[in-house]
Amino acid sequence: MARRSQTETAVLGALSMHPMTAYALREAIRDVLGHFWSESFGQIYPTLGALEQQGHVERREGPRSGSSTFAITDSGTARLRELLSEPIAATPPRSGLLLRLFFGRTLGVRKCRELLLEARADAERSLAEYDRLARTISAEEAGSPDLPYVLTTISAGRHNAEAAITWADEALALLEDVPGDDPPANGPPANGE
Amino acid sequence: MARRSQTETAVLGALSMHPMTAYALREAIRDVLGHFWSESFGQIYPTLGALEQQGHVERREGPRSGSSTFAITDSGTARLRELLSEPIAATPPRSGLLLRLFFGRTLGVRKCRELLLEARADAERSLAEYDRLARTISAEEAGSPDLPYVLTTISAGRHNAEAAITWADEALALLEDVPGDDPPANGPPANGE
DNA sequence: TATGACATGTAAAAAGTTACATGATTTC
DNA sequence: GAAATCATGTAACTTTTTACATGTCATA
């Protein structure tokens, strides 16, 4: 699955739930899909244009003069089904946190602890945000056939956040026992930055 | 933190553990950092070259004629410490699995179940791999000051994999109750929207 | 002496991000 | 009537991936 077609998936998918303007699409992708997917806005308009040309979406009159609402067409739904059925392209992992911890000897125990505390706090915040989101969406979309699927993805986020908290606590405990070097050696230890 | 400097971090970090050839560096980045970080190999040689010019790494005679072993210098260690201290650049999430599940109504319950079973199996495999890795590294690096940090990152992988398994089971149970539509062939699912 | 692992690199293409440019409409 | 938000788009830039080109050494 070429990368480009993943933008297509996100756009068609969002439109499969409600017709909306390109602007609303941006926001939906940022605020709702945002928890597990990201699209750069620079790609949305070109993709929408291409989808329109292919007849997968239809441009209708928008809420304002000069604005358009886009709706998915039957062929768009078929295309979406096709895209969703393609094998999942593995996204290479990139965790800046783990990269830093891995080289913790050089970074120093103290800073590692700080990073872990931050990560823990972030995860707590995410947890609260997922709960809020689940409540909001359950209310807004009550009875919608999309609801169980949406709740499933939110639950994935919850589980990840919970795992992050457990892990951080464990790692903090483990680092207790590590000699508190705080970078020894040569270089400027407690300075710059 | 510009993207480029993250490649620098990975390269300097790996060399901070052992001096090695560029080839071994590639493998270390693929096999060890690979669980939470990825670098495209096309960047490693140019980055090494730049680091050499800046005096952060030193080229020594390698194990073969024409090959070189690279070692980190004092200024390289200082630079690494600097890079590790920079704020973590948030990497935008991109989960192909969640993107598909989110639009599960269009994809169909059956295929969603298949995806979840696959994800569960993947997580089980990861779990086994993390255990193997932890054993190998504990033996190979016994007593190394890097060991606790390395084990911490492996533990993060374990926790994630465990969370994925719990979540998948939960999601599978939840999807039991969803009307088994399995998209009415090709036509629009519930309507035209 | 052929195969596979070791070893070093480059160039072109694709993808993604960012910042900008522009204007309409609502709300305070 | 000023500010915030809604709305649409483009261009330049950076990053990343992929595929390729080349050669050495051990070993079976």
Side-chain angles (χ1 to χ4, degrees):
Chain A
M1 197 177 196
R3 289 286 159 70
R4 171 56 171 275
S5 59
Q6 305 228 37
T7 303
E8 238 180 271
T9 309
V11 168
L12 282 175
L15 291 179
S16 80
M17 295 180 153
H18 308 287
M20 56 186 114
T21 65
Y23 186 83
L25 195 55
R26 271 163 80 140
E27 295 203 312
I29 288 176
R30 162 160 49 77
D31 300 338
V32 189
L33 297 191
H35 294 287
F36 55 81
W37 194 259
S38 78
E39 256 341 306
S40 60
F41 299 152
Q43 315 248 99
I44 292 181
Y45 284 98
T47 299
L48 259 182
L51 286 172
E52 192 190 3
Q53 285 207 329
Q54 290 157 31
H56 295 327
V57 304
E58 227 175 57
R59 186 188 292 256
R60 300 179 184 165
E61 206 164 297
R64 291 180 182 189
S65 82
S67 76
S68 325
T69 292
F70 293 89
I72 195 167
T73 63
D74 285 354
S75 89
T77 303
R79 173 73 177 140
L80 174 59
R81 208 170 277 145
E82 213 177 283
L83 287 168
L84 291 175
S85 299
E86 286 186 18
I88 297 177
T91 32
R94 287 213 137 183
S95 162
L97 172 63
L98 293 182
L99 186 67
R100 282 161 179 76
L101 286 180
F102 193 87
F103 302 122
R105 175 177 53 87
T106 301
L107 181 57
V109 204
R110 180 165 35 229
K111 282 193 181 162
C112 286
R113 282 207 202 96
E114 281 168 25
L115 286 176
L116 283 165
L117 287 171
E118 261 176 63
R120 197 188 186 289
D122 283 347
E124 297 269 18
R125 269 190 294 275
S126 296
L127 217 48
E129 170 64 10
Y130 287 126
D131 286 338
R132 199 197 54 73
L133 194 61
R135 271 197 308 278
T136 308
I137 293 190
S138 293
E140 279 177 5
E141 305 281 317
S144 155
D146 285 317
L147 188 57
Y149 299 104
V150 172
L151 290 180
T152 293
T153 65
I154 295 177
S155 165
R158 271 201 67 97
H159 279 280
N160 271 330
E162 277 166 358
I165 292 171
T166 315
W167 165 74
D169 285 336
E170 221 181 274
L172 282 164
L174 193 142
L175 290 191
E176 287 293 330
D177 305 334
V178 170
D181 49 30
D182 272 59
N186 57 75
N191 72 10
E193 262 128 300
Chain B
M1 195 176 198
R3 290 287 157 74
R4 172 58 169 276
S5 59
Q6 305 229 36
T7 303
E8 239 181 87
T9 309
V11 168
L12 282 175
L15 292 178
S16 79
M17 295 182 153
H18 308 290
M20 57 185 112
T21 65
Y23 186 81
L25 195 56
R26 271 163 77 139
E27 294 203 313
I29 288 176
R30 164 160 48 75
D31 300 338
V32 188
L33 296 192
H35 293 288
F36 55 81
W37 194 260
S38 77
E39 250 350 299
S40 59
F41 298 152
Q43 314 251 96
I44 292 182
Y45 285 98
T47 299
L48 259 181
L51 287 172
E52 193 190 3
Q53 284 206 329
Q54 291 158 30
H56 295 327
V57 305
E58 227 175 56
R59 186 188 294 257
R60 300 177 183 164
E61 207 166 294
R64 292 181 180 187
S65 82
S67 77
S68 324
T69 292
F70 292 89
I72 194 168
T73 62
D74 284 353
S75 88
T77 303
R79 172 74 177 138
L80 175 59
R81 208 169 279 143
E82 212 178 282
L83 287 169
L84 291 174
S85 298
E86 285 187 19
I88 297 176
T91 33
R94 285 211 138 185
S95 163
L97 172 63
L98 294 183
L99 186 67
R100 282 161 180 76
L101 286 180
F102 194 88
F103 302 122
R105 176 178 51 89
T106 301
L107 181 58
V109 203
R110 180 167 32 233
K111 284 193 180 162
C112 286
R113 283 208 200 96
E114 282 168 24
L115 286 176
L116 283 165
L117 287 172
E118 261 176 61
R120 199 190 185 287
D122 283 348
E124 297 269 20
R125 270 190 295 276
S126 297
L127 217 48
E129 170 63 10
Y130 287 126
D131 286 338
R132 199 195 54 70
L133 194 61
R135 271 197 308 276
T136 309
I137 294 191
S138 293
E140 279 177 4
E141 306 280 319
S144 156
D146 285 317
L147 188 55
Y149 299 103
V150 173
L151 290 180
T152 293
T153 65
I154 295 177
S155 166
R158 271 202 68 96
H159 280 279
N160 270 331
E162 276 165 357
I165 292 171
T166 315
W167 166 73
D169 286 337
E170 219 181 275
L172 281 164
L174 193 141
L175 290 191
E176 287 292 333
D177 305 333
V178 170
D181 49 29
D182 272 64
N186 57 58
N191 63 39
E193 222 88 355

